[in-house]
Every structure is written in structure tokens, then in C-alpha cells.
Amino acid sequence: MNFMPVKASRKALKLFFCITFSFLFVNCALIPDNYAISAPEYFSPDSKPQWHDLCDGMKYTTFYDDTAACECQAVIVDLANPKITLVSSGQLSKTKNKAEESDGYDYLIAENTISFARRNKVLVAINATPFNYPNGRLSSKRSLAGVFIKAGEQLAAMAQKYAALAFEDLSDGTVKAHIIDSQKIENFPPNTSYAFGGFWTLIKNNQIEEFSTKVKDARSAAGTFDNGRKLILLTIANPKAGNHYGATFEETAQILQNLGAENAIMLDGGSSSTLVVQGKKVSHSFLNVPVAVSFGFLYQEEE
């Protein structure tokens, strides 16, 4: 009996998957687990996090949360510091977004968060608004599942069922962060300079929201305290990456509250979840996935 056709078909199938994988993750470098900055030691939930100062007004920590059984990375940004400036990705495509043509919005060109961070030389960066693949995963075009405001210009439609993270320009040249329950224009501050869509409000006025789902996953989230003048950026490791199992919505909220958050929002998670510190990826997720929108913070010394 001749098995050559079967062997040939298997080889062809392997070749097909290799080519598909290569195209699917073009420009998505695999990031090894040890590709991280020198970080403080892990801490247990009943001890205080060991923060590493990145600059005047930004600090970073990494820790293992025993309750949720997950590895976490967090940054706190002092938005009242005039030396700190918010920067966002979000390059418009020349191809019109047919799905939202009536709203006048274009597609965005995908870029992974680490490339955005290095290109803009920001100290910290995180992925933000959830997105769709209107032309399939092989395409570089993304459409947003929620609001995106950049430098005062709205570049994506609002999704009322989702929450948002908005930044209000203040008269002293700094910004104030707001967690908004529903993406309605009347809920945004009049001087909103930047806004990023997310999924759900996790914490509202110090109260953790309840969720029926108990699914654990890699997470990206943001929290505020000190009347919106302090911002927490949090990522939680990919499920089953080593001894880490991701976190539920409520576990993510509890971790943020332990870090001081009074209000919080869930950003896009899963394989998109990425935190970059000093040009290096510190979060552990599947791949360095090209996303629709990332944002970060520059530190600029006074001239």
C-alpha cells in the first residue's frame, strides 16, 4: 500500500499552517518571559508592594497575587506633574471604514504597544480600546468597538454599553482622569483631550461592581484615585503562563482597589494585554499583538 499521497498532504498541511502563522503575526515578535526590566521582588497580598521609581511622578511594581493566583504588573502615574505628557497611537487608514461610513470614521492601522512605546520614547505604555478585524486578522486595518478621542478629535463612535477612560485638560497644563460608566457625549468633560474605550466599570466610588462571569483571563485595566489626579495602569498575566491563571473581573477590581483605586475600568485584555515600561514588555501575554490603540506617558525635563 502506498502512503505517499498521505505524507505529501501532511507536509502540505504543515506548510500551509506555517505560512498562515507567519502572515497572521507579521511584525508580532514573540517576547520571552525574561524580557523585562529589573523589577522589585514579588510581594504577598498582606504586604505592601515594592515600588520602583521610573521618574518624578511615575513608579512601577510587579507582584504575585495569591488570592487570584496571578502575576501582576502595575504603574502609578501622577497626572498633576507638569513634566508628564500623555501620548496616544491611532494612525488613520486611507481606506474608508465602510461599516461606519455614515458616522464618518476611518479604519485605524494596527500597531503593537511595544512598537508604539519605542517609537514615541514613552516611559510607560498600555493597550486600550477593544477592536474588531473588519478585513480579517491578516489585515492591518482595525475598527474600534468604542470611543477614541485623540488631541480633542473624536476618531471612533461611542458605544453606550461600554465604559471609557477620559482625560480632561486643566488650566495648569496637566490632565485629570475620569472613569465614565457609559459612552454618551454628555458624560464626557467639556475639555476632553483624550478618551479610550474599555469594557466595564470595575470600581465605582470605592465599590467593586458584581459580575456573573467568573472566567479568568489576561487583563489590562486602569484605575484612578486622588480625585482623578493619580492613574493606575494594571496588567495581569496570561492564564497558565507558568503558575499564573489570569483573573476574573472582580479579582481584577480587588487587585486595583488594593493598589488604591477608587474608580476603575477594564480595558481590552486577552492576547492584546500589554504593559511596556522603559521600552520593554513587562506583561506576560500570548504574543506582541498589533492593536488599534495604545497610550503612554512621556517624561520631559524642564528646559
Side-chain angles (χ1 to χ4, degrees):
M1 186 177 293
N2 189 351
F3 290 95
M4 288 299 293
V6 175
K7 290 181 179 179
S9 64
R10 286 177 178 172
K11 288 182 179 179
L13 188 59
K14 288 180 179 179
L15 180 61
F16 169 77
F17 281 120
C18 287
I19 294 173
T20 301
F21 186 88
S22 298
F23 277 106
L24 182 59
F25 296 108
V26 63
N27 296 324
C28 306
L30 290 172
I31 305 298
D33 285 348
N34 62 357
Y35 190 50
I37 67 172
S38 297
E41 295 296 323
Y42 291 150
F43 72 97
S44 62
D46 55 356
S47 67
K48 294 182 179 180
Q50 301 300 307
W51 293 96
H52 172 76
D53 288 328
L54 300 171
C55 67
D56 178 21
M58 281 191 271
K59 55 186 180 180
Y60 162 76
T61 189
T62 181
F63 58 94
Y64 188 84
D65 185 90
D66 285 332
T67 303
C70 63
E71 181 190 302
C72 309
Q73 298 81 28
V75 171
I76 291 181
V77 182
D78 182 1
L79 300 176
N81 188 331
K83 297 179 182 179
I84 294 174
T85 304
L86 191 155
V87 179
S88 169
S89 68
Q91 179 185 354
L92 292 177
S93 168
K94 293 181 180 180
T95 303
K96 199 70 175 176
N97 182 348
K98 298 298 183 182
E100 298 179 349
E101 192 170 28
S102 60
D103 296 320
Y105 298 114
D106 295 335
Y107 290 128
L108 294 175
I109 299 296
E111 180 181 24
N112 59 58
T113 303
I114 193 169
S115 295
F116 157 75
R118 290 175 176 174
R119 180 170 58 81
N120 289 278
K121 299 180 180 180
V122 295
L123 266 181
V124 300
I126 195 169
N127 66 296
T129 312
F131 58 90
N132 299 307
Y133 299 91
N135 294 342
R137 291 177 180 267
L138 299 183
S139 171
S140 64
K141 295 180 177 62
R142 302 288 186 267
S143 60
L144 292 179
V147 68
F148 175 40
I149 296 174
K150 180 179 180 181
E153 181 181 2
Q154 185 176 339
L155 300 178
M158 296 186 179
Q160 294 187 14
K161 65 179 180 178
Y162 292 145
L165 172 63
F167 294 89
E168 175 189 8
D169 280 346
L170 301 181
S171 58
D172 63 0
T174 63
V175 297
K176 176 180 178 178
H178 299 261
I179 306 297
I180 294 169
D181 281 340
S182 175
Q183 296 175 25
K184 299 178 183 179
I185 189 64
E186 61 267 24
N187 293 339
F188 287 77
N191 294 326
T192 297
S193 53
Y194 287 86
F196 308 96
F199 284 114
W200 323 113
T201 299
L202 295 174
I203 306 173
K204 185 175 181 180
N205 298 327
N206 285 310
Q207 296 296 314
I208 292 176
E209 299 289 288
E210 294 183 2
F211 298 91
S212 58
T213 178
K214 303 301 178 185
V215 174
K216 287 178 173 282
D217 204 348
R219 304 293 182 189
S220 289
T224 64
F225 64 102
D226 193 17
N227 194 30
R229 300 297 268 158
K230 300 285 197 313
L231 176 71
I232 303 171
L233 304 177
L234 172 73
T235 53
I236 295 174
N238 167 36
K240 300 185 179 178
N243 294 321
H244 316 305
Y245 298 95
T248 66
F249 293 154
E250 289 181 32
E251 287 171 342
T252 303
Q254 185 62 66
I255 291 168
L256 280 164
Q257 191 174 69
N258 291 343
L259 293 173
E262 299 167 349
N263 296 280
I265 181 177
M266 182 71 74
L267 301 173
D268 192 19
S271 59
S272 299
S273 182
T274 306
L275 181 66
V276 178
V277 176
Q278 293 178 325
K280 298 178 181 179
K281 181 176 178 179
V282 296
S283 54
H284 295 163
S285 56
F286 297 91
L287 294 165
N288 207 12
V289 173
V291 298
V293 176
S294 301
F295 71 91
F297 295 92
L298 282 168
Y299 181 80
Q300 298 173 312
E301 291 283 1
E302 293 179 359
E303 297 181 358

